[in-house]
Amino acid sequence: MKKVYLETYGCQMNVSDSERVSTALARDGFEMIDDESDADVVLINTCSVREKAEQKLYTQVGRLRHRKHRKKPIIGVLGCVAQLEGETLFERSPGINFVLGTRAVGRVSDTLKQALGGRNRIADLGERADDYDWTVADTHRHSPYVAFVPIIEGCNKFCTYCIVPFARGRERSLPASEIVRQVLDLRRSGVREVHLIGQNVNSYRPDSDSGLEMFGGRSPFSRLLRAVAATGIERVKFTTSFPRDFTDDIIDAIDSNENLCNWVHLPVQSGSDRVLRSMKRGHTVDRYKRIIDKLKASDRDIAITTDIIVGFPGESEKDFAETVKLVEYCGFDSSYIFKYSPRPGTPAFEMEDDVTPAEKTIRFLELENVQKRVQSQRLSRYPGKVLKVLAEGRSTRTENGISGHSTCHKVVNFLGGDEHLGKVVDVRVKEIKANSLFGEII
Ligand code: SAH
Ligand code: SF4
Ligand code: F3S
């Protein structure tokens, strides 16, 4: 039995693809292992969203090639860098045996068998087969209790800085009936929480209405949310949402279904209309604020998180100051802040990258500080509150520590035993840490 080590970078879509790759390889007679140094085959599922993410691939391959005292493993590259670079990877990074694009991962077993049989430099950037199997074996899920369910793949938005539409192709929604069937299966096998995932989940638009008929008259995504809630699965989260397509009926669905969790991830990218236009985001600051107002008006106490890019081409001090103001206005529960990274092939790559690296760092740190301030204000409401927490695993730091997420997607740690694992427990918050809460079971 050949031993395969699979390393995954990037977003949840990549984690989810890797889960299906492991499922397929184990079914086809390979052994998936956790220790890279023992592997006959190393697969790297790559991300290309920023230059640093892409760099990880080249560093890793270089390291494997110069590994001393050990047989050199077969190296296969999957995911977004594979899709974008294709065969050029063989020149650029000698040692790579095969390359599988983002929609070719279903053919991983066959490709690997060919590579083991001595064929070199195989590149498959083809499309998914019609009968591609979207299910993940229980043993290959990243958690026994939490499952990622892709509902839409690809992206049609072409924000000017972003490589994802090129790496992932056009938007394609999965049939609602198939999604509901998967959630029902997951529920039966003990999964407590599903995350409906996609580059832009609320752009969900399936070819047919099958499975959604009874929730008519609303946007397809809000109908899907109601259909998934109706499966009776304990908790449903979804990410990422795209502001332009964020319709009010999504909030209505959350308001009327307890199992739709009170957390929305809504990347804003910038607080300046001028920059948003140049990014081609399709939303204004004002439109974004109205969504935030509506979310805050909900009785469900919805947590809001975002992504922000600092130092986009042409971003002035004034534009940046507007981003700071927006972060203060929205009071995000957390923000992922990124320094703009030019990606070859995107429209922004042709713009002058005129904010110096030093200035990007200054803005990054300043915004991070502002975020820390608004975040600690948000968190100061929590001590004394009781949160419903899914006990997901043992926390490594404390003895008898258990770690999980609240419905509002905060990391919550508490003391407990094995009997709590996989259960949703009531935890009273005692203490606020930098990026988590600490509490005790009641
Ligand atoms: N589909 C989601 C997320 C896409 S990638 C969305 O629409 O927002 C995740 C985040 O990476 C983005 O939200 C953006 O903040 C960041 N990102 C994407 N391209 C980037 C680039 N070229 N430089 C810096 N950050 C980038
Ligand atoms: Fe990238 Fe924009 Fe698509 Fe998000 S919506 S994946 S940022 S192009
Ligand atoms: Fe990265 Fe590809 Fe996801 S570029 S963020 S792994 S879609």
Side-chain angles (χ1 to χ4, degrees):
M1 238 191 185
K2 293 287 181 190
K3 297 192 171 100
V4 182
Y5 175 78
L6 167 60
E7 177 143 339
T8 306
Y9 308 128
C11 63
Q12 286 150 324
M13 215 32 125
N14 261 18
V15 173
S16 175
D17 283 339
S18 282
E19 291 177 348
R20 280 182 299 280
V21 164
S22 302
T23 301
L25 289 173
R27 180 196 60 210
D28 296 334
F30 296 96
E31 185 189 351
M32 301 306 295
I33 59 166
D34 293 329
D35 177 8
E36 182 215 80
S37 62
D38 219 18
D40 304 301
V41 179
V42 174
L43 301 179
I44 310 171
N45 194 359
T46 55
C47 173
S48 189
V49 77
R50 282 167 294 276
E51 195 185 343
K52 263 200 193 134
E54 179 164 345
Q55 208 51 46
K56 286 187 186 164
L57 164 66
Y58 305 114
T59 315
Q60 174 74 328
V61 174
R63 212 176 47 76
L64 288 168
R65 280 187 60 220
H66 297 106
R67 196 152 97 171
K68 295 218 172 65
H69 318 301
R70 286 198 179 271
K71 190 174 66 160
K72 305 266 175 285
I74 294 268
I75 302 176
V77 178
L78 322 179
C80 293
V81 181
Q83 185 72 40
L84 291 161
E85 300 294 327
E87 292 185 2
T88 62
L89 279 178
F90 299 131
E91 311 298 332
R92 189 156 171 191
S93 198
I96 295 174
N97 299 82
F98 67 90
V99 167
L100 274 181
T102 49
R103 296 176 300 284
V105 285
R107 291 180 286 276
V108 64
S109 297
D110 281 349
T111 312
L112 180 50
K113 279 176 197 160
Q114 288 178 35
L116 286 164
R119 208 181 136 197
N120 208 354
R121 299 193 160 198
I122 314 168
D124 179 353
L125 306 182
E127 292 302 315
R128 259 185 230 291
D130 287 336
D131 61 352
Y132 178 73
D133 188 357
W134 286 93
T135 48
V136 172
D138 291 343
T139 41
H140 295 291
R141 222 180 297 112
H142 67 283
S143 156
Y145 317 116
V146 181
F148 290 156
V149 178
I151 65 164
I152 177 170
E153 63 168 341
C155 181
N156 294 350
K157 309 299 190 274
F158 291 96
C159 302
T160 53
Y161 51 81
C162 187
I163 198 72
V164 171
F166 304 93
R168 289 272 166 183
R170 296 297 66 76
E171 282 173 9
R172 222 194 72 204
S173 299
L174 274 76
S177 50
E178 166 65 22
I179 295 165
V180 167
R181 185 195 60 75
Q182 260 197 50
V183 174
L184 285 169
D185 280 353
L186 290 166
R187 183 182 166 204
R188 244 173 262 126
S189 60
V191 165
R192 299 303 174 110
E193 180 174 300
V194 293
H195 288 213
L196 307 179
I197 62 166
Q199 246 38 262
N200 299 294
V201 280
N202 54 326
S203 306
Y204 181 73
R205 206 162 285 280
D207 293 337
S208 103
D209 237 20
S210 153
L212 298 178
E213 304 87 344
M214 67 249 246
F215 305 101
R218 305 181 178 97
S219 67
F221 179 60
S222 75
R223 287 151 73 192
L224 178 73
L225 281 180
R226 287 174 189 266
V228 172
T231 60
I233 185 101
E234 199 151 349
R235 321 214 291 196
V236 182
K237 293 177 180 176
F238 55 89
T239 174
T240 296
S241 296
F242 188 63
R244 195 194 65 202
D245 296 343
F246 202 87
T247 47
D248 285 355
D249 56 10
I250 298 170
I251 307 172
D252 298 340
I254 297 174
D255 281 342
S256 47
N257 291 277
E258 185 70 36
N259 56 351
L260 299 181
C261 287
N262 48 338
W263 166 51
V264 170
H265 182 59
L266 196 65
V268 68
Q269 313 300 0
S270 169
S272 150
D273 279 332
R274 212 175 59 80
V275 173
L276 286 173
R277 254 197 317 277
S278 173
M279 289 175 162
K280 285 218 161 62
R281 284 289 290 175
H283 66 84
T284 59
V285 174
D286 210 50
R287 160 88 180 114
Y288 189 84
K289 282 177 161 176
R290 296 291 81 80
I291 304 172
I292 299 298
D293 294 345
K294 172 97 190 184
L295 284 165
K296 294 211 163 159
S298 157
D299 291 337
R300 289 289 304 279
D301 194 5
I302 298 172
I304 307 165
T305 58
T306 200
D307 295 349
I308 297 169
I309 296 175
V310 296
F312 186 76
E315 184 189 73
S316 64
E317 299 242 350
K318 182 166 163 283
D319 294 318
F320 176 68
E322 287 175 358
T323 300
V324 169
K325 248 173 46 199
L326 184 67
V327 168
E328 285 166 342
Y329 179 91
C330 298
F332 296 112
D333 288 78
S334 78
S335 301
Y336 296 90
I337 304 166
F338 306 104
K339 292 182 210 170
Y340 169 68
S341 166
R343 307 310 293 132
T346 62
F349 191 74
E350 308 303 322
M351 303 176 192
E352 195 194 341
D353 184 13
D354 55 357
V355 182
T356 62
E359 184 59 30
K360 281 183 185 133
T361 301
I362 291 172
R363 294 182 193 178
F364 177 90
L365 293 174
E366 184 180 338
L367 196 60
E368 201 180 49
N369 273 329
V370 175
Q371 173 57 34
K372 274 187 195 147
R373 203 176 66 230
V374 301
Q375 186 165 326
S376 69
Q377 242 162 42
R378 282 285 292 168
L379 288 176
S380 66
R381 306 175 304 126
Y382 281 95
K385 273 198 185 197
V386 177
L387 300 177
K388 295 224 172 288
V389 181
L390 174 57
E392 286 160 51
R394 291 243 151 249
S395 90
T396 39
R397 267 181 252 153
T398 26
E399 218 186 320
N400 295 325
I402 290 199
S403 187
H405 285 88
S406 61
T407 52
C408 55
H409 208 58
K410 301 252 181 320
V411 174
V412 183
N413 297 306
F414 54 94
L415 299 184
D418 284 343
E419 71 278 14
H420 295 116
L421 290 176
K423 303 226 165 72
V424 174
V425 291
D426 286 325
V427 176
R428 187 183 305 282
V429 177
K430 290 262 167 204
E431 233 181 288
I432 314 168
K433 308 265 164 105
N435 286 306
S436 64
L437 300 170
F438 184 81
E440 65 185 19
I441 296 190
I442 54 168

